[in-house]
Amino acid sequence: MFQNVAIRAFVKCSTGILRESCSVSPVLAAKSWSCSSALLGPGVGVALPTPVRHYARAVKKKRTVPQSQLSDLPPTMLKLDYAAVPMAQTTDDIIKRLLSLELASHREKLQLKTEQLISKVQRDENDRSSMEVQVATLTARIRNYQEHLQKNHKDKANKRRMLMAIDKRKKLLKKLRLVRYSAFERVCEQLGITYTFPPEYYRRATRRWQAKKAFCIKVFKAVQKQKAEQRKKMKQHLASKNTETTLSQ
Protein backbone atom coordinates (compact mmCIF):
# COMPACT_ATOMS: atom_id res chain seq x y z
CA MET A 1 0.00 0.00 0.00
CA PHE A 2 2.76 2.45 0.94
CA GLN A 3 4.58 1.52 -2.24
CA ASN A 4 1.54 2.42 -4.40
CA VAL A 5 1.16 5.77 -2.61
CA ALA A 6 4.79 6.59 -3.23
CA ILE A 7 4.51 5.71 -6.92
CA ARG A 8 1.38 7.87 -7.29
CA ALA A 9 3.11 10.85 -5.69
CA PHE A 10 6.11 10.39 -7.91
CA VAL A 11 3.86 10.23 -11.00
CA LYS A 12 2.03 13.46 -9.98
CA CYS A 13 5.35 15.28 -9.61
CA SER A 14 6.61 13.97 -12.91
CA THR A 15 3.52 15.10 -14.82
CA GLY A 16 4.39 18.75 -14.17
CA ILE A 17 7.90 18.18 -15.43
CA LEU A 18 6.47 16.38 -18.47
CA ARG A 19 4.23 19.33 -19.34
CA GLU A 20 7.18 21.73 -19.22
CA SER A 21 9.30 19.39 -21.32
CA CYS A 22 6.50 18.92 -23.85
CA SER A 23 6.21 22.68 -24.27
CA VAL A 24 9.93 22.78 -25.07
CA SER A 25 10.27 19.70 -27.30
CA PRO A 26 7.75 16.83 -27.54
CA VAL A 27 10.38 14.50 -29.00
CA LEU A 28 12.53 14.71 -25.84
CA ALA A 29 9.43 14.13 -23.70
CA ALA A 30 8.53 10.96 -25.61
CA LYS A 31 12.06 9.66 -25.23
CA SER A 32 12.03 10.34 -21.49
CA TRP A 33 8.70 8.51 -21.12
CA SER A 34 10.02 5.48 -22.97
CA CYS A 35 13.18 5.40 -20.87
CA SER A 36 11.28 5.71 -17.61
CA SER A 37 8.78 2.99 -18.55
CA ALA A 38 11.61 0.67 -19.46
CA LEU A 39 13.29 1.26 -16.11
CA LEU A 40 10.23 1.01 -13.83
CA GLY A 41 8.51 -1.77 -15.70
CA PRO A 42 5.29 -2.10 -17.74
CA GLY A 43 2.30 -0.01 -16.80
CA VAL A 44 4.29 2.75 -15.10
CA GLY A 45 5.51 5.79 -17.04
CA VAL A 46 7.58 8.54 -15.46
CA ALA A 47 9.16 11.51 -17.23
CA LEU A 48 12.77 12.02 -16.22
CA PRO A 49 14.19 15.51 -16.79
CA THR A 50 16.93 15.70 -19.36
CA PRO A 51 20.31 16.55 -17.83
CA VAL A 52 21.50 20.07 -18.56
CA ARG A 53 25.16 20.86 -18.10
CA HIS A 54 26.24 24.45 -17.75
CA TYR A 55 30.01 24.57 -17.73
CA ALA A 56 31.57 27.89 -16.71
CA ARG A 57 34.31 28.19 -19.30
CA ALA A 58 36.45 31.29 -19.20
CA VAL A 59 36.80 33.19 -22.42
CA LYS A 60 40.27 32.80 -23.84
CA LYS A 61 41.92 36.15 -24.31
CA LYS A 62 43.86 36.54 -27.49
CA ARG A 63 47.43 37.57 -26.89
CA THR A 64 48.37 40.79 -28.57
CA VAL A 65 51.40 40.03 -30.69
CA PRO A 66 53.75 43.05 -30.74
CA GLN A 67 54.79 44.49 -34.07
CA SER A 68 58.05 43.08 -35.32
CA GLN A 69 60.94 45.26 -36.43
CA LEU A 70 60.94 43.34 -39.72
CA SER A 71 57.31 44.20 -40.52
CA ASP A 72 58.26 47.39 -42.40
CA LEU A 73 60.35 45.43 -44.92
CA PRO A 74 58.26 44.96 -48.10
CA PRO A 75 58.27 41.43 -49.54
CA THR A 76 59.19 42.76 -53.01
CA MET A 77 62.52 44.14 -51.76
CA LEU A 78 65.57 42.25 -53.00
CA LYS A 79 67.97 40.51 -50.65
CA LEU A 80 71.10 42.23 -49.48
CA ASP A 81 73.39 40.18 -51.74
CA TYR A 82 71.37 40.94 -54.90
CA ALA A 83 70.36 44.57 -54.24
CA ALA A 84 73.38 45.96 -56.13
CA VAL A 85 73.13 43.51 -59.07
CA PRO A 86 71.56 45.28 -62.13
CA MET A 87 70.42 42.02 -63.76
CA ALA A 88 68.22 41.20 -60.77
CA GLN A 89 65.95 44.13 -61.66
CA THR A 90 65.34 42.99 -65.25
CA THR A 91 64.68 39.27 -64.71
CA ASP A 92 61.28 37.61 -64.85
CA ASP A 93 58.84 37.45 -61.92
CA ILE A 94 59.76 33.92 -60.78
CA ILE A 95 63.44 34.75 -60.32
CA LYS A 96 62.53 38.04 -58.66
CA ARG A 97 60.45 36.14 -56.11
CA LEU A 98 63.40 33.83 -55.44
CA LEU A 99 65.73 36.80 -54.94
CA SER A 100 63.28 38.93 -52.94
CA LEU A 101 62.34 38.86 -49.25
CA GLU A 102 59.14 36.96 -49.97
CA LEU A 103 61.03 33.65 -49.80
CA ALA A 104 63.91 34.86 -47.65
CA SER A 105 64.81 33.42 -44.25
CA HIS A 106 64.63 35.28 -40.97
CA ARG A 107 68.41 35.59 -40.87
CA GLU A 108 68.51 37.34 -44.27
CA LYS A 109 65.74 39.76 -43.22
CA LEU A 110 67.57 40.55 -39.99
CA GLN A 111 70.78 41.18 -41.92
CA LEU A 112 68.98 43.67 -44.18
CA LYS A 113 67.39 45.40 -41.17
CA THR A 114 70.80 45.71 -39.52
CA GLU A 115 72.19 47.36 -42.64
CA GLN A 116 69.31 49.85 -42.62
CA LEU A 117 70.03 50.82 -39.01
CA ILE A 118 73.76 51.12 -39.72
CA SER A 119 73.11 53.42 -42.68
CA LYS A 120 71.25 55.83 -40.36
CA VAL A 121 74.14 56.39 -37.95
CA GLN A 122 77.39 55.59 -39.77
CA ARG A 123 79.87 58.42 -40.34
CA ASP A 124 80.58 57.59 -43.99
CA GLU A 125 79.96 54.78 -46.47
CA ASN A 126 83.05 52.81 -45.41
CA ASP A 127 82.42 53.14 -41.67
CA ARG A 128 81.98 49.63 -40.22
CA SER A 129 83.72 49.74 -36.84
CA SER A 130 82.79 52.99 -35.09
CA MET A 131 80.85 53.10 -31.84
CA GLU A 132 77.73 54.30 -33.67
CA VAL A 133 77.79 51.26 -35.98
CA GLN A 134 78.34 48.89 -33.05
CA VAL A 135 75.35 50.40 -31.22
CA ALA A 136 73.15 49.98 -34.31
CA THR A 137 74.21 46.33 -34.72
CA LEU A 138 73.53 45.58 -31.06
CA THR A 139 70.15 47.34 -31.25
CA ALA A 140 68.96 45.11 -34.10
CA ARG A 141 70.18 42.03 -32.23
CA ILE A 142 68.52 43.06 -28.94
CA ARG A 143 65.15 43.70 -30.61
CA ASN A 144 65.36 40.32 -32.31
CA TYR A 145 65.99 38.64 -28.93
CA GLN A 146 63.04 40.53 -27.40
CA GLU A 147 60.65 39.34 -30.10
CA HIS A 148 61.90 35.77 -29.68
CA LEU A 149 61.53 35.83 -25.89
CA GLN A 150 57.97 37.15 -26.04
CA LYS A 151 57.00 33.94 -27.83
CA ASN A 152 59.44 31.63 -25.99
CA HIS A 153 59.73 33.10 -22.50
CA LYS A 154 61.50 30.01 -21.11
CA ASP A 155 64.51 30.29 -23.39
CA LYS A 156 67.13 31.16 -20.76
CA ALA A 157 70.12 30.97 -23.10
CA ASN A 158 68.83 33.67 -25.47
CA LYS A 159 67.74 35.77 -22.49
CA ARG A 160 71.31 35.67 -21.19
CA ARG A 161 72.63 36.69 -24.62
CA MET A 162 70.13 39.56 -24.75
CA LEU A 163 71.23 40.85 -21.32
CA MET A 164 74.88 40.65 -22.34
CA ALA A 165 74.13 42.64 -25.51
CA ILE A 166 72.21 45.25 -23.48
CA ASP A 167 75.14 45.67 -21.08
CA LYS A 168 77.58 46.05 -23.96
CA ARG A 169 75.37 48.67 -25.62
CA LYS A 170 75.11 50.59 -22.32
CA LYS A 171 78.90 50.76 -22.07
CA LEU A 172 79.20 51.99 -25.65
CA LEU A 173 76.51 54.65 -25.16
CA LYS A 174 78.11 55.82 -21.93
CA LYS A 175 81.50 56.18 -23.63
CA LEU A 176 79.97 57.88 -26.69
CA ARG A 177 78.13 60.33 -24.43
CA LEU A 178 81.39 61.36 -22.78
CA VAL A 179 83.41 61.58 -26.01
CA ARG A 180 80.94 62.89 -28.63
CA TYR A 181 77.69 64.14 -27.16
CA SER A 182 76.23 65.31 -30.49
CA ALA A 183 76.76 61.85 -32.01
CA PHE A 184 75.22 60.28 -28.88
CA GLU A 185 72.04 62.37 -29.28
CA ARG A 186 71.83 61.58 -32.99
CA VAL A 187 72.21 57.83 -32.40
CA CYS A 188 69.52 57.80 -29.70
CA GLU A 189 67.15 59.79 -31.93
CA GLN A 190 67.68 57.74 -35.10
CA LEU A 191 67.50 54.32 -33.41
CA GLY A 192 64.74 55.19 -30.93
CA ILE A 193 66.81 54.45 -27.81
CA THR A 194 65.91 55.93 -24.42
CA TYR A 195 69.08 56.31 -22.36
CA THR A 196 68.55 56.09 -18.59
CA PHE A 197 71.25 56.80 -16.05
CA PRO A 198 72.30 53.78 -13.94
CA PRO A 199 71.63 53.84 -10.19
CA GLU A 200 74.37 54.62 -7.71
CA TYR A 201 74.69 51.01 -6.60
CA TYR A 202 73.03 47.70 -7.45
CA ARG A 203 72.72 46.28 -3.94
CA ARG A 204 69.67 44.13 -3.29
CA ALA A 205 67.45 45.65 -0.56
CA THR A 206 66.87 42.72 1.82
CA ARG A 207 65.36 42.93 5.30
CA ARG A 208 68.72 42.33 6.95
CA TRP A 209 70.35 45.06 4.89
CA GLN A 210 67.54 47.54 5.67
CA ALA A 211 67.77 46.80 9.42
CA LYS A 212 71.55 47.19 9.31
CA LYS A 213 71.24 50.48 7.41
CA ALA A 214 68.69 51.84 9.93
CA PHE A 215 70.97 50.81 12.83
CA CYS A 216 74.00 52.50 11.23
CA ILE A 217 72.01 55.71 10.71
CA LYS A 218 70.90 55.61 14.35
CA VAL A 219 74.50 55.13 15.57
CA PHE A 220 75.73 57.94 13.31
CA LYS A 221 73.12 60.36 14.69
CA ALA A 222 74.01 59.41 18.28
CA VAL A 223 77.73 59.98 17.62
CA GLN A 224 77.01 63.35 16.00
CA LYS A 225 74.94 64.33 19.02
CA GLN A 226 77.77 63.40 21.40
CA LYS A 227 80.27 65.38 19.35
CA ALA A 228 77.95 68.40 19.38
CA GLU A 229 77.68 68.21 23.17
CA GLN A 230 81.49 67.96 23.51
CA ARG A 231 81.93 71.03 21.27
CA LYS A 232 79.42 72.93 23.37
CA LYS A 233 81.27 72.01 26.58
CA MET A 234 84.60 73.03 25.04
CA LYS A 235 83.17 76.40 24.03
CA GLN A 236 81.78 76.95 27.50
CA HIS A 237 85.13 75.98 29.04
CA LEU A 238 87.05 78.35 26.74
CA ALA A 239 84.56 81.14 27.47
CA SER A 240 84.96 80.65 31.23
CA LYS A 241 88.79 80.76 30.88
CA ASN A 242 88.61 83.95 28.88
CA THR A 243 86.42 85.61 31.52
CA GLU A 244 88.83 84.53 34.26
CA THR A 245 91.81 86.00 32.43
CA THR A 246 90.02 89.28 31.84
CA LEU A 247 89.05 89.53 35.51
CA SER A 248 92.57 88.76 36.68
CA GLN A 249 94.00 91.48 34.49
Side-chain angles (χ1 to χ4, degrees):
M1 180 178 180
F2 291 105
Q3 187 176 2
N4 294 332
V5 172
I7 292 173
R8 287 175 185 174
F10 187 74
V11 170
K12 286 181 181 179
C13 295
S14 62
T15 51
I17 299 170
L18 178 62
R19 288 171 186 170
E20 294 176 1
S21 62
C22 287
S23 63
V24 177
S25 69
V27 178
L28 292 174
K31 287 183 179 181
S32 62
W33 271 100
S34 61
C35 293
S36 61
S37 61
L39 291 171
L40 297 175
V44 181
V46 179
L48 297 176
T50 56
V52 180
R53 298 185 178 91
H54 298 284
Y55 295 110
R57 295 181 181 177
V59 180
K60 292 183 178 180
K61 295 182 180 179
K62 294 183 179 180
R63 293 183 178 178
T64 56
V65 180
Q67 190 176 7
S68 175
Q69 65 170 344
L70 306 177
S71 59
D72 59 342
L73 297 176
T76 56
M77 185 183 292
L78 293 175
K79 297 179 185 179
L80 186 64
D81 299 335
Y82 307 103
V85 178
M87 292 183 62
Q89 305 289 341
T90 58
T91 54
D92 54 350
D93 296 337
I94 298 175
I95 298 176
K96 274 187 178 181
R97 286 185 65 189
L98 293 173
L99 303 180
S100 65
L101 297 179
E102 185 178 355
L103 302 176
S105 62
H106 181 79
R107 185 176 181 180
E108 292 172 343
K109 292 180 181 178
L110 183 62
Q111 187 179 5
L112 183 58
K113 188 65 180 180
T114 306
E115 290 296 326
Q116 287 183 356
L117 295 180
I118 289 173
S119 63
K120 291 180 180 180
V121 298
Q122 63 184 168
R123 300 176 185 176
D124 50 36
E125 295 180 356
N126 300 322
D127 182 20
R128 306 298 296 180
S129 60
S130 63
M131 284 190 287
E132 295 94 326
V133 173
Q134 294 180 35
V135 169
T137 306
L138 290 170
T139 301
R141 195 183 306 170
I142 288 166
R143 290 172 182 172
N144 183 43
Y145 283 136
Q146 288 175 348
E147 294 169 8
H148 174 75
L149 290 171
Q150 284 174 354
K151 298 177 183 178
N152 309 282
H153 59 279
K154 292 186 178 181
D155 194 350
K156 305 297 182 184
N158 281 321
K159 185 177 181 180
R160 180 175 173 271
R161 296 189 187 101
M162 183 188 71
L163 294 175
M164 290 171 64
I166 289 172
D167 291 340
K168 189 175 181 180
R169 188 179 69 175
K170 278 183 181 178
K171 292 177 182 177
L172 289 171
L173 286 173
K174 183 179 179 180
K175 186 176 180 180
L176 185 63
R177 184 175 178 272
L178 295 173
V179 176
R180 298 176 60 201
Y181 190 78
S182 59
F184 165 78
E185 285 187 336
R186 185 171 63 87
V187 167
C188 291
E189 183 181 357
Q190 292 293 330
L191 301 180
I193 300 172
T194 305
Y195 183 78
T196 55
F197 291 97
E200 295 180 358
Y201 51 86
Y202 293 92
R203 181 153 188 172
R204 186 180 175 186
T206 58
R207 289 184 180 178
R208 183 177 180 180
W209 179 78
Q210 289 176 355
K212 187 177 179 180
K213 184 178 179 181
F215 178 73
C216 291
I217 292 171
K218 189 176 180 181
V219 170
F220 176 76
K221 289 181 179 179
V223 170
Q224 293 296 321
K225 189 176 180 181
Q226 289 179 0
K227 288 182 179 180
E229 290 177 355
Q230 289 177 2
R231 290 195 206 98
K232 189 176 181 181
K233 288 180 180 179
M234 288 292 293
K235 286 180 181 179
Q236 291 176 357
H237 183 66
L238 291 172
S240 63
K241 277 189 176 182
N242 291 330
T243 53
E244 289 177 359
T245 53
T246 54
L247 291 172
S248 63
Q249 289 175 0

